[in-house]
Amino acid sequence: MDDKTEKNMNLLPAAKLFKEPAEWPLIPPWWLVPSTDAAALLNVKPATLSSWRIRGYGPNSYPPMYLKPTQGRPLYYQYGELRSWAASALGMAYSFEDQCTDFFTEVFPVLNQGSGSLEGRIRTFERQYLDDRERVLRGAGGNSIVAAHIHTLDAFFERQPKRIGCAPLRL
């Protein structure tokens, strides 16, 4: 590698991100992931993610003012924001809306067939997920979302921070 290429890679740290990319789990793009998970998904150390945040580089963290205080006050990143940022760092585009469409297609396809707003479809998914989750936890099957998806989502759902009041989703 010549000196110019190496210098450009140092200016664009994202160029090194995906030597061995993590597999992106199938979770809603509007859900939040803690900074340690965000770093793992981007294949960087948490300290690198922190350094990027301080320097104004990297994905935006979720504003902590919308979250109930917790011990240690961990930072969170919106999953869709991480994926959009990672795609743009590689010169591609993957909008939040496209991520929602892909997610709904895989997990709850009926939501892609309606004409409602994205925010309305997100709320519909959340209500149905909670209902189906309760059924699956009691040993019954989900009505609209298959049990396998419920189990996959549950690991991330349990770690969602609590929002203050009706904290807005950043769409």
Side-chain angles (χ1 to χ4, degrees):
M1 185 179 326
D2 65 350
D3 290 337
K4 188 175 181 178
T5 304
E6 190 170 330
K7 186 181 235 182
N8 285 342
M9 285 185 74
N10 288 335
L11 291 175
L12 297 170
K16 300 181 203 175
L17 283 179
F18 302 103
K19 289 180 183 176
E20 296 176 28
E23 186 172 320
W24 294 92
L26 182 65
I27 63 172
W30 58 91
W31 280 9
L32 303 176
V33 293
S35 58
T36 51
D37 290 357
L41 289 167
L42 295 172
N43 201 23
V44 298
K45 295 179 180 174
T48 301
L49 196 57
S50 177
S51 172
W52 287 351
R53 190 182 72 259
I54 291 167
R55 292 188 338 224
Y57 183 76
N60 296 321
S61 58
Y62 196 82
M65 66 185 146
Y66 293 130
L67 305 175
K68 290 187 179 179
T70 58
Q71 187 175 8
R73 304 258 325 151
L75 284 175
Y76 289 90
Y77 292 84
Q78 190 178 49
Y79 186 64
E81 173 76 17
L82 282 176
R83 293 185 82 181
S84 294
W85 180 84
S88 69
L90 295 173
M92 300 183 291
Y94 194 27
S95 72
F96 182 81
E97 291 79 11
D98 289 343
Q99 292 177 55
C100 288
T101 298
D102 291 347
F103 175 77
F104 292 142
T105 298
E106 183 72 28
V107 177
F108 199 4
V110 72
L111 290 177
N112 280 335
Q113 298 165 2
S115 61
S117 70
L118 181 58
E119 194 170 318
R121 290 184 289 156
I122 288 171
R123 284 197 182 102
T124 300
F125 171 81
E126 290 290 330
R127 282 191 304 271
Q128 191 62 51
Y129 169 73
L130 291 174
D131 289 346
D132 285 0
R133 181 178 182 266
E134 287 300 317
R135 286 185 191 92
V136 168
L137 291 176
R138 284 183 280 152
N143 281 345
S144 302
I145 304 170
V146 297
H149 287 310
I150 299 285
H151 291 300
T152 300
L153 293 170
D154 205 40
F156 295 94
F157 176 76
E158 289 294 327
R159 296 185 350 207
Q160 288 298 294
K162 304 298 180 229
R163 293 189 168 132
I164 294 174
C166 293
L169 291 171
R170 285 191 338 193
L171 302 178

